[in-house]
Amino acid sequence: MSPDEKTEYEFEQAMHGRLGEELARFAPPPHDLVRRATERGERQRRRSRAVRLTGAVVAVVALGAGGVLLHGGGAAAPSPASPVPSPTASTAAPPPSRLPDQPQDRLQARLLAMLPTRGKATAGKEDGPEYATALFDDGRGAGLVAVTVQSGMTAKLNGQLDCDRAPVGCTSVTLPGGTVVKSYQQSVDGNDTVLCTTVDTLRPDGRRVVVSAYNAPTDRGPATRSKPVLTPDELKAVALDPRWEGGAG
Amino acid sequence: MGQAPADYVEFAHASSGRLFRTACLLTGDWHRAEDLVQETLAKMYRSWRRISHDQPPVAYAHTVLVRTYLAQRRRLGFWERVSDRLDDSAEARPDRADLRLTLLDGLARLPVADRAVLVLRYWEDRSVEETARILRIPPATARTRSLRALRRLRALLGEDLAELSAD
């Protein structure tokens, strides 16, 4: 065994014990951890059920409307199988309360609309109220673009938008209106193969918009081009777009 | 809230401490670790009836924990990694406190996948094959990544390495 291999072996052997000692630095978990986790699970289960029910109601309404059209008019009495309210009743009814994760709360459509016109933007796999992705292809290789929008982040970030521990080349500036803009590029895989450029912004009202572009169609590669698909300036334009200021997040 | 199944509650109480410790090593932060364990147990709660109980669900919960951690980090992007902070509320013991800071700090500076592979291999004592299955990568990749992560950690710890491996 070479000296290097010996050192590595000893290091490996010491890891478990040292990791255990590291854990002594942490306070124990909160006593109500299980209760809160169970409550979170129950909330998620109910939300999921509500979304499914909403989908079912929408499907029934659509089927009902289709049935009415097929049968040649809206004057007929509603079919027992399609409890569709009459147009008059529908107009008079109060608007339904918004359920979480409805399409208007999702970010992807807005992201697609904000991407530069020099390339083709298509929907990515993720589309939620806080996170969405798109694929952007300018003819030199498609790259992933991801956006995260969060609210009430001022206290949580607590000065983390500086470049103290960020990669070389990071810049952080405060715009005249008070919005902080931090941008940097780093290797995702540690080998400088898959690269990600990120612009992280925090508005004075606590809204945070983070936009990242990759040189690969997924955040795990493979790389399709040498540089990320959007430039820092293009990312900045998307992150600072006023259209993020309404609705989601 | 509906009544949680008794066997779920028993499982959650029995496993939460160990899940929390793994989460602390992965996230390097008490609050994030708590959130990660909450999310993991919430997922277990939601799918409790569908989970195979032929084997203890603890191992599955750890798989859920690591995958949830990786998914969260992917979603948040990599901007949060560079601003990772060590837990401010943790009480550092006076002896070798500098070394502990260095090892946790070293872990925090590794790429997320490297950190996960080290925690699985050297804290949870998972085999290469188990690590590969949890991370959804081929065993050869898990082996390579583990070796690479160790070397990176060694490089980050620098002179502290000798002290770390001396005992």
Side-chain angles (χ1 to χ4, degrees):
Chain A
M1 188 183 284
S2 72
D4 270 358
E5 285 172 337
K6 184 170 179 293
T7 310
E8 200 153 293
Y9 175 75
E10 286 172 350
F11 185 78
E12 203 174 307
Q13 295 303 304
M15 277 289 284
H16 185 94
R18 289 295 179 226
L19 288 173
E21 287 187 21
E22 294 284 346
L23 287 168
R25 298 186 63 241
F26 290 92
H31 67 280
D32 58 350
L33 176 62
V34 170
R35 180 182 60 78
R36 286 196 283 144
T38 308
E39 285 173 358
R40 183 189 284 199
E42 180 65 19
R43 277 197 305 275
Q44 290 172 348
R45 193 177 63 80
R46 283 184 185 171
R47 195 182 311 152
S48 165
R49 185 194 286 167
V51 169
R52 279 201 307 274
L53 283 173
T54 306
V57 169
V58 168
V60 168
V61 168
L63 281 172
V68 168
L69 287 174
L70 281 172
H71 287 90
S79 150
S82 55
V84 187
S86 70
T88 309
S90 174
T91 308
S97 61
R98 287 176 78 189
L99 288 166
D101 211 22
Q102 286 185 323
Q104 63 264 37
D105 284 332
R106 296 179 184 170
L107 303 175
Q108 194 177 71
R110 273 186 274 180
L111 174 63
L112 289 169
M114 292 174 195
L115 292 177
T117 53
R118 64 178 175 81
K120 185 182 174 190
T122 52
K125 287 181 182 171
E126 304 272 0
D127 184 16
E130 275 200 353
Y131 179 79
T133 59
L135 281 175
F136 188 77
D137 191 347
D138 58 3
R140 290 182 292 169
L144 180 74
V145 180
V147 64
T148 301
V149 179
Q150 299 169 304
S151 297
M153 294 300 290
T154 304
K156 289 180 185 171
L157 287 173
N158 190 25
Q160 288 183 42
L161 285 185
D162 56 32
C163 286
D164 282 354
R165 292 177 60 186
V168 175
C170 170
T171 62
S172 178
V173 295
T174 302
L175 302 179
T179 298
V180 182
V181 181
K182 173 179 172 180
S183 58
Y184 56 90
Q185 178 175 298
Q186 63 181 358
S187 165
V188 174
D189 58 354
N191 293 328
D192 289 334
T193 309
V194 182
L195 299 172
C196 171
T197 305
T198 299
V199 171
D200 189 348
T201 63
L202 179 65
R203 288 160 168 77
D205 65 356
R207 181 159 292 239
R208 183 186 202 182
V209 179
V210 188
V211 190
S212 298
Y214 296 77
N215 64 337
T218 76
D219 55 10
R220 283 168 285 182
T224 53
R225 49 193 291 136
S226 59
K227 289 182 178 175
V229 74
L230 296 184
T231 66
D233 282 344
E234 286 172 332
L235 286 171
K236 206 176 291 180
V238 173
L240 295 175
D241 194 301
R243 281 173 281 183
W244 295 124
E245 281 155 27
Chain B
M1 191 179 86
Q3 186 72 33
D7 54 347
Y8 163 81
V9 175
E10 188 183 344
F11 145 80
H13 279 291
S15 61
S16 61
R18 202 175 144 208
L19 287 168
F20 182 75
R21 287 191 288 280
T22 299
C24 284
L25 291 176
L26 287 171
T27 62
D29 180 279
W30 191 92
H31 296 286
R32 286 182 189 155
E34 187 208 352
D35 185 69
L36 179 58
V37 175
Q38 266 201 43
E39 185 61 26
T40 300
L41 290 177
K43 284 181 176 176
M44 294 294 289
Y45 173 82
R46 277 160 48 206
S47 52
W48 189 248
R49 287 183 199 156
R50 299 193 300 273
I51 294 172
S52 166
H53 293 272
D54 295 342
Q55 295 178 341
V58 177
Y60 181 63
H62 279 261
T63 300
V64 172
L65 180 99
V66 174
R67 288 180 180 170
T68 301
Y69 164 72
L70 293 173
Q72 284 178 348
R73 300 314 298 252
R74 272 201 300 276
R75 283 179 163 234
L76 290 170
F78 292 84
W79 43 269
E80 211 169 45
R81 192 186 77 187
V82 296
S83 58
D84 272 352
R85 291 174 297 119
L86 296 175
D87 179 30
D88 296 334
S89 63
E91 291 181 13
R93 297 208 314 244
D95 57 322
R96 300 167 67 89
D98 55 337
L99 179 59
R100 285 194 191 87
L101 184 73
T102 305
L103 181 54
L104 265 187
D105 208 22
L107 271 180
R109 283 162 194 263
L110 292 177
V112 172
D114 284 6
R115 200 185 314 170
V117 85
L118 286 186
V119 170
L120 284 169
R121 293 278 290 121
Y122 299 109
W123 171 245
E124 295 217 337
D125 286 330
R126 301 276 188 160
S127 67
V128 169
E129 287 71 24
E130 284 176 311
T131 303
R133 184 181 52 76
I134 292 170
L135 298 178
R136 294 183 172 125
I137 55 178
T141 307
R143 194 175 288 111
T144 309
R145 188 172 286 172
S146 173
L147 196 62
R148 189 183 65 183
L150 265 184
R151 286 182 178 154
R152 279 185 177 152
L153 194 58
R154 279 182 57 192
L156 283 168
L157 295 178
E159 292 178 1
D160 289 331
L161 170 64
E163 200 177 351
L164 183 68
S165 56
D167 298 341

